[in-house]
């Protein structure tokens, strides 16, 4: 069970703050069940009510600073997620984004590489690729910014700088 005030990663809503844990007095809600009242970082004007005992959608606490630093240190070992069939690839992207897993990095790596390749051939990045790249970055950068206590726009530079540092150390 999560605590009030804690940040979590919700499989469909990304990083959320647990605003409250309460019983809901609205039609259709089980009056005896406890619900998390979640505020998604990507839309702080909205609230999500989610049963505390529901395990259909993965949820977890955000990673700690040490865990994020460890993930970034080993980022080059995370494999891109490439599937030739476009429908299967989109399904896999949805699955990974909803899993609350840092395999999001694999999506980001894949789509950056695919985007560069398409641009080199005079093509634009596809709408689907752009959509999933944006979603993956949003969830990952929200979590990393909280864990590292840095502004979200600084996360990408933090990752790049640390990859460069680990590459230099390996030489």
């Amino acid at each position: 069970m999560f605590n009030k005030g804690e940040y979590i990663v919700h499989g469909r809503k990304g990083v959320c703050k647990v605003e409250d844990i309460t019983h809901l007095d609205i039609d259709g809600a089980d009056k005896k069940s406890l619900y998390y009242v979640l505020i998604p970082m990507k839309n702080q004007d909205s609230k999500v009510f989610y049963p505390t005992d529901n395990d259909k959608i993965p949820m977890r606490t955000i990673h700690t600073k040490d865990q994020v630093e460890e993930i970034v240190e080993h980022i080059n070992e995370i494999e891109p997620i490439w599937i030739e069939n476009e429908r299967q690839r989109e399904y896999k992207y949805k699955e990974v984004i909803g899993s609350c897993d840092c395999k999001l990095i694999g999506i980001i790596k894949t789509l950056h590489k695919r985007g560069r390749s398409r641009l080199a051939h005079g093509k634009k990045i596809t709408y689907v690729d752009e959509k999933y790249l944006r979603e993956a970055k949003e969830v990952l950068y929200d979590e990393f910014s909280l864990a590292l206590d840095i502004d979200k726009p600084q996360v990408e530079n933090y990752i790049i700088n640390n990859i460069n540092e680990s590459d230099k150390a390996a030489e």
Side-chain angles (χ1 to χ4, degrees):
M1 186 137 172
F2 304 112
N3 298 309
K4 187 176 175 179
E6 186 174 13
Y7 283 94
I8 65 165
V9 181
H10 182 279
R12 288 200 182 134
K13 300 297 179 183
V15 177
C16 299
K17 184 175 184 178
V18 179
E19 181 180 72
D20 202 1
I21 302 168
T22 187
H23 296 279
L24 294 182
D25 189 21
I26 57 175
D27 289 341
D30 182 351
K31 308 283 189 254
K32 296 176 186 171
S33 292
L34 280 174
Y35 288 80
Y36 293 115
V37 180
L38 305 174
I39 307 294
M41 282 189 70
K42 63 184 171 186
N43 186 1
Q44 295 184 6
D45 294 333
S46 69
K47 290 183 181 183
V48 176
F49 301 96
Y50 196 76
T52 60
D53 61 354
N54 191 332
D55 60 358
K56 291 180 183 174
I57 297 176
M59 294 191 306
R60 64 169 173 78
T61 57
I62 65 166
H63 289 308
T64 65
K65 181 178 181 178
D66 290 341
Q67 290 169 322
V68 169
E69 289 171 348
E70 179 79 11
I71 291 166
V72 172
E73 185 177 321
H74 296 283
I75 206 165
N76 288 327
E77 298 165 19
I78 299 171
E79 292 294 320
I81 300 171
W82 182 251
I83 298 168
E84 200 63 40
N85 180 290
E86 205 159 317
R87 285 181 190 235
Q88 290 175 346
R89 187 171 61 243
E90 184 176 4
Y91 177 80
K92 182 65 173 180
Y93 291 166
K94 284 181 188 176
E95 181 181 80
V96 170
I97 289 172
S99 73
C100 297
D101 193 320
C102 280
K103 288 181 185 173
L104 291 170
I105 294 168
I107 291 175
I108 295 167
K109 289 171 83 171
T110 301
L111 294 177
H112 272 292
K113 183 177 180 180
R114 180 169 154 84
R116 284 193 305 270
S117 173
R118 288 184 65 82
L119 288 173
H121 290 92
K123 299 177 182 177
K124 293 181 180 180
I125 188 169
T126 68
Y127 170 79
V128 171
D129 287 354
E130 191 174 324
K131 173 186 170 189
Y132 287 103
L133 178 60
R134 187 175 47 252
E135 276 188 54
K137 281 183 171 184
E138 184 173 311
V139 173
L140 189 75
Y141 292 6
D142 280 347
E143 180 175 7
F144 281 19
S145 72
L146 287 169
L148 297 168
D149 195 27
I150 62 176
D151 292 332
K152 187 175 171 181
Q154 295 174 301
V155 171
E156 190 162 357
N157 285 335
Y158 171 86
I159 292 170
I160 291 167
N161 291 338
N162 281 281
I163 289 171
N164 291 339
E165 288 300 314
S166 65
D167 287 347
K168 287 178 188 172
E171 292 175 355

